[in-house]
Short mmCIF file of all heavy atoms in Angstrom, two decimals:
data_model
loop_
_atom_site.label_atom_id
_atom_site.label_comp_id
_atom_site.label_asym_id
_atom_site.label_seq_id
_atom_site.Cartn_x
_atom_site.Cartn_y
_atom_site.Cartn_z
N ILE A 7 9.60 -32.86 28.10
CA ILE A 7 10.22 -33.74 27.11
C ILE A 7 10.20 -35.18 27.66
O ILE A 7 9.86 -36.09 26.94
CB ILE A 7 11.73 -33.29 26.86
CG1 ILE A 7 11.70 -31.96 26.03
CG2 ILE A 7 12.47 -34.36 26.09
CD1 ILE A 7 13.04 -31.24 26.05
N GLU A 8 10.56 -35.36 28.90
CA GLU A 8 10.55 -36.74 29.48
C GLU A 8 9.12 -37.27 29.61
O GLU A 8 8.91 -38.49 29.45
CB GLU A 8 11.28 -36.75 30.79
CG GLU A 8 12.74 -36.53 30.52
CD GLU A 8 13.64 -36.55 31.77
OE1 GLU A 8 13.06 -36.35 32.88
OE2 GLU A 8 14.82 -36.61 31.66
N LYS A 9 8.16 -36.43 29.90
CA LYS A 9 6.75 -36.95 29.98
C LYS A 9 6.27 -37.48 28.57
O LYS A 9 5.48 -38.41 28.59
CB LYS A 9 5.78 -35.74 30.31
CG LYS A 9 5.53 -35.55 31.75
CD LYS A 9 4.41 -34.49 31.89
CE LYS A 9 4.33 -34.06 33.30
NZ LYS A 9 3.30 -32.92 33.46
N LEU A 10 6.82 -36.95 27.48
CA LEU A 10 6.47 -37.45 26.21
C LEU A 10 7.35 -38.61 25.76
O LEU A 10 7.20 -39.08 24.63
CB LEU A 10 6.59 -36.30 25.15
CG LEU A 10 5.60 -35.18 25.36
CD1 LEU A 10 5.86 -34.01 24.36
CD2 LEU A 10 4.20 -35.73 25.19
N GLY A 11 8.29 -39.03 26.57
CA GLY A 11 9.10 -40.21 26.31
C GLY A 11 10.44 -39.85 25.65
O GLY A 11 11.22 -40.78 25.23
N GLY A 12 10.78 -38.55 25.63
CA GLY A 12 12.04 -38.13 24.98
C GLY A 12 13.12 -38.29 26.02
O GLY A 12 12.97 -38.35 27.25
N GLU A 13 14.38 -38.31 25.48
CA GLU A 13 15.57 -38.40 26.40
C GLU A 13 16.43 -37.09 26.08
O GLU A 13 16.87 -36.87 24.94
CB GLU A 13 16.41 -39.64 26.03
CG GLU A 13 17.68 -39.67 26.84
CD GLU A 13 18.67 -40.75 26.21
OE1 GLU A 13 18.22 -41.55 25.36
OE2 GLU A 13 19.77 -40.83 26.76
N VAL A 14 16.65 -36.34 27.08
CA VAL A 14 17.41 -35.10 26.93
C VAL A 14 18.92 -35.53 27.05
O VAL A 14 19.38 -35.99 28.05
CB VAL A 14 17.11 -34.08 28.04
CG1 VAL A 14 18.06 -32.86 27.88
CG2 VAL A 14 15.67 -33.59 27.95
N VAL A 15 19.60 -35.44 25.82
CA VAL A 15 21.01 -35.87 25.80
C VAL A 15 21.94 -34.80 26.18
O VAL A 15 23.11 -35.05 26.46
CB VAL A 15 21.30 -36.59 24.46
CG1 VAL A 15 20.58 -37.84 24.31
CG2 VAL A 15 21.05 -35.64 23.28
N LYS A 16 21.52 -33.50 26.02
CA LYS A 16 22.41 -32.41 26.34
C LYS A 16 21.54 -31.16 26.39
O LYS A 16 20.60 -30.93 25.67
CB LYS A 16 23.52 -32.23 25.39
CG LYS A 16 24.60 -31.30 25.86
CD LYS A 16 25.95 -31.55 25.14
CE LYS A 16 27.04 -30.78 25.79
NZ LYS A 16 28.36 -31.02 25.08
N VAL A 17 21.97 -30.19 27.25
CA VAL A 17 21.43 -28.87 27.33
C VAL A 17 22.55 -27.88 26.94
O VAL A 17 23.60 -27.91 27.57
CB VAL A 17 20.90 -28.51 28.75
CG1 VAL A 17 20.36 -27.13 28.80
CG2 VAL A 17 19.84 -29.57 29.15
N ILE A 18 22.29 -27.05 25.93
CA ILE A 18 23.34 -26.13 25.63
C ILE A 18 22.75 -24.68 25.63
O ILE A 18 21.62 -24.40 25.38
CB ILE A 18 23.89 -26.35 24.16
CG1 ILE A 18 22.88 -26.29 23.08
CG2 ILE A 18 24.66 -27.75 24.14
CD1 ILE A 18 23.42 -26.30 21.70
N LEU A 19 23.72 -23.80 26.06
CA LEU A 19 23.32 -22.40 26.31
C LEU A 19 24.41 -21.46 25.77
O LEU A 19 25.58 -21.88 25.70
CB LEU A 19 23.26 -22.16 27.81
CG LEU A 19 22.41 -23.18 28.50
CD1 LEU A 19 22.96 -23.58 29.84
CD2 LEU A 19 20.98 -22.76 28.69
N LEU A 20 24.02 -20.28 25.45
CA LEU A 20 25.06 -19.29 25.10
C LEU A 20 25.74 -18.79 26.35
O LEU A 20 26.96 -18.67 26.46
CB LEU A 20 24.43 -18.11 24.32
CG LEU A 20 25.43 -17.03 23.86
CD1 LEU A 20 26.46 -17.61 22.87
CD2 LEU A 20 24.74 -15.85 23.25
N MET A 21 24.95 -18.48 27.42
CA MET A 21 25.46 -17.87 28.60
C MET A 21 24.95 -18.59 29.87
O MET A 21 23.85 -19.17 29.87
CB MET A 21 25.06 -16.38 28.69
CG MET A 21 25.54 -15.61 27.58
SD MET A 21 25.05 -13.81 27.76
CE MET A 21 23.34 -13.92 27.19
N GLU A 22 25.80 -18.60 30.90
CA GLU A 22 25.42 -19.13 32.21
C GLU A 22 25.76 -18.13 33.25
O GLU A 22 26.90 -17.58 33.30
CB GLU A 22 26.17 -20.41 32.41
CG GLU A 22 25.91 -21.02 33.79
CD GLU A 22 26.64 -22.39 33.98
OE1 GLU A 22 27.27 -22.85 33.06
OE2 GLU A 22 26.48 -22.89 35.13
N LEU A 23 24.85 -17.82 34.19
CA LEU A 23 25.09 -17.02 35.37
C LEU A 23 25.32 -17.97 36.51
O LEU A 23 24.39 -18.43 37.23
CB LEU A 23 23.87 -16.13 35.68
CG LEU A 23 23.48 -15.15 34.44
CD1 LEU A 23 22.26 -14.32 34.85
CD2 LEU A 23 24.64 -14.29 34.03
N ALA A 24 26.53 -18.42 36.73
CA ALA A 24 26.92 -19.47 37.66
C ALA A 24 26.55 -19.16 39.06
O ALA A 24 26.16 -20.04 39.85
CB ALA A 24 28.37 -19.77 37.53
N GLY A 25 26.54 -17.89 39.46
CA GLY A 25 26.18 -17.41 40.80
C GLY A 25 24.80 -17.77 41.19
O GLY A 25 24.48 -17.87 42.39
N LEU A 26 23.88 -17.96 40.22
CA LEU A 26 22.51 -18.32 40.52
C LEU A 26 22.20 -19.83 40.66
O LEU A 26 21.10 -20.23 40.92
CB LEU A 26 21.57 -17.66 39.48
CG LEU A 26 21.58 -16.11 39.47
CD1 LEU A 26 20.71 -15.56 38.34
CD2 LEU A 26 21.17 -15.60 40.81
N LYS A 27 23.22 -20.62 40.42
CA LYS A 27 23.23 -22.02 40.57
C LYS A 27 22.13 -22.79 39.84
O LYS A 27 21.58 -23.79 40.38
CB LYS A 27 23.17 -22.32 42.12
CG LYS A 27 24.32 -21.71 42.90
CD LYS A 27 24.37 -22.26 44.27
CE LYS A 27 25.57 -21.62 45.08
NZ LYS A 27 26.82 -21.59 44.53
N GLY A 28 21.82 -22.35 38.69
CA GLY A 28 20.77 -22.98 37.86
C GLY A 28 21.17 -24.44 37.47
O GLY A 28 20.27 -25.31 37.32
N ARG A 29 22.43 -24.77 37.41
CA ARG A 29 22.86 -26.13 37.10
C ARG A 29 22.43 -27.12 38.19
O ARG A 29 22.24 -28.25 37.86
CB ARG A 29 24.40 -26.21 36.96
CG ARG A 29 24.94 -25.90 35.67
CD ARG A 29 26.49 -26.09 35.70
NE ARG A 29 27.02 -25.57 34.48
CZ ARG A 29 27.48 -26.33 33.47
NH1 ARG A 29 27.53 -27.62 33.65
NH2 ARG A 29 28.07 -25.79 32.43
N ASP A 30 22.25 -26.65 39.37
CA ASP A 30 21.81 -27.51 40.44
C ASP A 30 20.47 -28.18 40.18
O ASP A 30 20.19 -29.30 40.52
CB ASP A 30 21.72 -26.76 41.78
CG ASP A 30 23.10 -26.25 42.30
OD1 ASP A 30 24.13 -26.68 41.72
OD2 ASP A 30 23.13 -25.59 43.30
N LYS A 31 19.50 -27.42 39.49
CA LYS A 31 18.25 -27.94 39.08
C LYS A 31 18.36 -28.91 37.96
O LYS A 31 17.39 -29.59 37.65
CB LYS A 31 17.28 -26.80 38.74
CG LYS A 31 16.81 -26.01 39.92
CD LYS A 31 15.66 -25.15 39.47
CE LYS A 31 15.20 -24.42 40.77
NZ LYS A 31 14.85 -23.04 40.53
N LEU A 32 19.48 -28.98 37.25
CA LEU A 32 19.67 -29.83 36.12
C LEU A 32 20.67 -30.94 36.37
O LEU A 32 21.29 -31.49 35.41
CB LEU A 32 20.10 -29.03 34.93
CG LEU A 32 19.25 -27.81 34.50
CD1 LEU A 32 19.81 -27.11 33.34
CD2 LEU A 32 17.89 -28.18 34.34
N SER A 33 20.91 -31.27 37.66
CA SER A 33 21.84 -32.34 37.98
C SER A 33 21.41 -33.61 37.33
O SER A 33 20.21 -33.91 37.29
CB SER A 33 22.04 -32.47 39.56
OG SER A 33 20.85 -32.89 40.03
N GLY A 34 22.35 -34.31 36.82
CA GLY A 34 22.00 -35.60 36.13
C GLY A 34 21.89 -35.39 34.62
O GLY A 34 21.76 -36.37 33.87
N TYR A 35 22.00 -34.12 34.16
CA TYR A 35 21.99 -33.79 32.76
C TYR A 35 23.29 -33.14 32.33
O TYR A 35 23.88 -32.44 33.12
CB TYR A 35 20.83 -32.89 32.39
CG TYR A 35 19.48 -33.55 32.72
CD1 TYR A 35 18.87 -33.34 33.93
CD2 TYR A 35 18.90 -34.41 31.78
CE1 TYR A 35 17.62 -33.95 34.26
CE2 TYR A 35 17.67 -35.00 32.06
CZ TYR A 35 17.08 -34.82 33.31
OH TYR A 35 15.87 -35.44 33.60
N GLU A 36 23.72 -33.44 31.07
CA GLU A 36 24.89 -32.80 30.57
C GLU A 36 24.53 -31.37 30.12
O GLU A 36 23.65 -31.17 29.30
CB GLU A 36 25.48 -33.54 29.40
CG GLU A 36 26.85 -33.03 29.00
CD GLU A 36 27.52 -33.86 27.96
OE1 GLU A 36 27.03 -34.99 27.59
OE2 GLU A 36 28.51 -33.38 27.42
N VAL A 37 25.16 -30.39 30.80
CA VAL A 37 24.93 -28.94 30.47
C VAL A 37 26.20 -28.30 30.03
O VAL A 37 27.19 -28.46 30.68
CB VAL A 37 24.37 -28.23 31.76
CG1 VAL A 37 24.04 -26.81 31.49
CG2 VAL A 37 23.12 -28.98 32.23
N ALA A 38 26.15 -27.47 28.97
CA ALA A 38 27.33 -26.77 28.50
C ALA A 38 26.91 -25.44 28.05
O ALA A 38 25.89 -25.22 27.49
CB ALA A 38 27.97 -27.52 27.35
N SER A 39 27.77 -24.42 28.37
CA SER A 39 27.54 -23.11 27.89
C SER A 39 28.82 -22.45 27.22
O SER A 39 29.92 -22.90 27.61
CB SER A 39 27.19 -22.15 29.12
OG SER A 39 28.14 -22.19 30.10
N VAL A 40 28.56 -21.59 26.34
CA VAL A 40 29.69 -20.96 25.63
C VAL A 40 30.41 -20.02 26.54
O VAL A 40 31.59 -19.98 26.60
CB VAL A 40 29.19 -20.22 24.38
CG1 VAL A 40 30.29 -19.47 23.69
CG2 VAL A 40 28.56 -21.21 23.39
N ILE A 41 29.65 -19.24 27.34
CA ILE A 41 30.23 -18.23 28.23
C ILE A 41 29.66 -18.49 29.65
O ILE A 41 28.43 -18.75 29.78
CB ILE A 41 29.77 -16.76 27.83
CG1 ILE A 41 30.07 -16.41 26.43
CG2 ILE A 41 30.35 -15.72 28.82
CD1 ILE A 41 29.41 -15.16 25.93
#
């Protein structure tokens, strides 16, 4: 998305497996999950 000049304003998910620390790869972005 950024290579094409877009700006990621938020990442939304239904579920997050927090123990796998996926958010760490998305630091600097707003991330939200329902569960």
Side-chain angles (χ1 to χ4, degrees):
I7 291 165
E8 290 179 344
K9 268 188 192 177
L10 293 174
E13 175 192 355
V14 176
V15 294
K16 193 158 188 179
V17 178
I18 62 168
L19 312 142
L20 181 62
M21 298 180 283
E22 176 177 0
L23 304 179
L26 296 176
K27 302 190 183 309
R29 275 184 189 251
D30 293 354
K31 285 192 178 138
L32 307 181
S33 64
Y35 297 93
E36 188 176 348
V37 179
S39 58
V40 175
I41 305 168

